[in-house]
Amino acid sequence: MAMASLFISSSPSFTPPPKTYTKYQTAYFLKPFSLKAASTSVDQQPTISLADKQPSPFKANSWQWKFQDKVLTIYYEEHGKESPEPTKNILMLPSISDVSTVEEWRSVAGNIVQRASKINWRAVIVDWPGLGYSDRPKLDYNVDVMEKFLTDFISAPDGPMKHFGNDLVIFGGGHAPTITLCAAKKGLVKLAAIAAVAPTWAGPLPIVFGRDSTMEMRYGLLRDTLRTPGVGWMMYNMLVSNEKAIASQYKSHVYANPDNVTPDVVDSRIALTKRKGARYAPASFLTGLLDPVKSQEEFLELFADLDGKVPVLVVSSKSSPKRSKAVMQALKGAKGVSKFVEVPGALLPQEEYPTMIAEELYQFLQENFEFNI
């Protein structure tokens, strides 16, 4: 993947940044939710319709995360409905990328929580620090920062999920499930189940050029340049934060079908890359500082550690770039993987084909929770 391949994101709608909300304010999308069946073949990628990405009502909120000497405003959304059925909670984590955003999961969340079932499913989607609509201060972003954030968001006494307990299901894309599994291995996160959608473990440059000492030195130089005032912002604008770069990357490997890359999608992603501090976390992702592991062997071990303990679903996408798909395919039949499915899409199937992904995820929930009631 090249520089601008940090692009992973969302539905055509654009949500204002979190600072426009207080703890008690909400934002709603009021158009009715519709569920639509879809079919495809390996040779032809489906074209989405607006109905596929119609979000249900949700509550937008923010949380103040204290890290080192800073306080970051973290943006998150709550999706759910009133129901007499017992409640179970899902945390949905966006793929880490240049245009990472909660919108990536919004339609999937709405699809699942609005279903009539034996369990009242509720979902929280959160933007990572330095990405999406969360604050983006000039931190030394690395995988430890992201792991610390995840564990704090789930377990902090003043956190949004403090009442959820340990019975937590996590859905994540890209690096997100890998970071989650690292935290679980250390005992920092307790899982009821996890679904890894188009999972990855290596940033765009390391997956292509490797991690020998010479390349690590070059990555460091690039990272430092991108973080430099003036020059860094100019480089970021030239390589990433422009219409041509974003449209090209979405059409080449973020979406499977170029026809699904609409002007609204491109415009909303450009807006994300223009936010204050937009380049700091992506510079770390690009150069491998957000990689949870250093090898495919370590990656497979994370899943093997859950064997017989926690249900694990892996969703591989048919049109992912060659190296990324090899990472996903290595999990087919791997120890610890309860279920492996392949769906249309590339690096963001949950955003491009939310109805299909929601169907796979809901079936996974039924098999492991609802059918036992």
Side-chain angles (χ1 to χ4, degrees):
M1 292 192 255
M3 171 80 183
S5 68
L6 320 174
F7 304 143
I8 328 190
S9 265
S10 77
S11 67
S13 56
F14 182 79
T15 305
K19 287 185 178 179
T20 61
Y21 303 103
T22 68
K23 181 177 180 181
Y24 302 103
Q25 290 176 309
T26 59
Y28 294 100
F29 285 68
L30 297 176
K31 294 181 181 179
F33 171 78
S34 63
L35 178 63
K36 204 175 83 165
S39 61
T40 184
S41 69
V42 176
D43 298 321
Q44 183 177 4
Q45 296 295 346
T47 300
I48 55 172
S49 70
L50 183 60
D52 288 313
K53 290 193 172 185
Q54 204 70 272
S56 62
F58 64 87
K59 180 180 178 182
N61 220 324
S62 64
W63 174 60
Q64 302 300 303
W65 181 47
K66 300 176 180 64
F67 180 73
Q68 296 177 347
D69 60 343
K70 299 182 184 298
V71 178
L72 284 69
T73 299
I74 299 297
Y75 177 77
Y76 68 97
E77 296 177 356
E78 298 172 274
H79 295 249
K81 67 179 186 300
E82 296 298 323
S83 171
E85 304 298 337
T87 297
K88 212 169 189 64
N89 300 290
I90 307 167
L91 174 61
M92 297 184 177
L93 301 171
S95 305
I96 291 177
S97 76
D98 214 60
V99 290
S100 172
T101 165
V102 293
E103 294 177 14
E104 169 187 325
W105 284 104
R106 190 178 283 160
S107 294
V108 174
N111 183 314
I112 292 174
V113 304
Q114 294 300 320
R115 296 187 184 221
S117 62
K118 296 179 181 179
I119 293 175
N120 180 30
W121 292 103
R122 300 184 65 84
V124 170
I125 320 173
V126 62
D127 270 331
W128 296 95
L131 299 170
Y133 301 119
S134 290
D135 281 354
R136 303 177 178 218
K138 190 177 183 180
L139 293 176
D140 291 325
Y141 293 96
N142 58 37
V143 69
D144 292 334
V145 172
M146 297 310 196
E147 185 180 277
K148 171 66 174 170
F149 163 73
L150 177 61
T151 56
D152 285 353
F153 187 80
I154 292 173
S155 60
D158 66 338
M161 308 189 74
K162 59 182 179 294
H163 300 305
F164 285 13
N166 296 324
D167 197 21
L168 185 63
V169 177
I170 293 184
F171 295 162
H175 273 38
T178 316
I179 293 173
T180 302
L181 291 177
C182 286
K185 186 174 183 177
K186 298 172 185 175
L188 301 174
V189 173
K190 294 184 178 180
L191 301 171
I194 185 169
V197 179
T200 57
W201 60 266
L205 291 182
I207 199 172
V208 175
F209 300 109
R211 309 194 69 113
D212 63 35
S213 58
T214 300
M215 292 311 304
E216 290 287 8
M217 182 177 65
R218 291 175 180 174
Y219 298 157
L221 178 61
L222 174 59
R223 185 166 55 245
D224 291 345
T225 303
L226 284 168
R227 291 172 59 87
T228 301
V231 174
W233 186 244
M234 288 174 59
M235 177 183 287
Y236 186 73
N237 282 335
M238 180 179 68
L239 296 176
V240 176
S241 185
N242 64 79
E243 180 180 357
K244 182 179 180 180
I246 290 180
S248 174
Q249 295 303 321
Y250 262 89
K251 291 178 179 180
S252 66
H253 55 257
V254 177
Y255 278 11
N257 188 337
D259 292 339
N260 292 333
V261 184
T262 65
D264 284 343
V265 168
V266 174
D267 289 346
S268 64
R269 299 312 161 260
I270 293 173
L272 284 173
T273 66
K274 299 297 184 185
R275 288 175 57 81
K276 182 179 179 181
R279 69 191 189 277
Y280 299 128
S284 292
F285 172 64
L286 171 71
T287 55
L289 280 188
L290 301 186
D291 293 353
V293 295
K294 304 300 183 186
S295 69
Q296 185 81 332
E297 290 72 28
E298 288 182 67
F299 179 66
L300 294 174
E301 285 174 9
L302 291 174
F303 289 85
D305 285 342
L306 297 181
D307 190 40
K309 303 174 185 176
V310 174
V312 177
L313 168 66
V314 172
V315 180
S316 177
S317 50
K318 296 176 181 176
S319 300
S320 287
K322 181 178 179 181
R323 292 180 179 87
S324 298
K325 188 167 184 178
V327 169
M328 302 173 203
Q329 289 295 313
L331 292 167
K332 188 173 185 178
K335 185 177 181 180
V337 176
S338 313
K339 184 178 182 180
F340 182 97
V341 298
E342 194 169 38
V343 298
L347 292 181
L348 264 194
Q350 64 270 34
E351 178 182 305
E352 188 178 9
Y353 303 118
T355 302
M356 296 182 190
I357 297 301
E359 189 62 41
E360 293 290 353
L361 295 175
Y362 184 65
Q363 187 177 89
F364 175 66
L365 294 173
Q366 284 184 306
E367 293 166 352
N368 290 283
F369 299 101
E370 294 190 15
F371 291 163
N372 297 325
I373 296 178

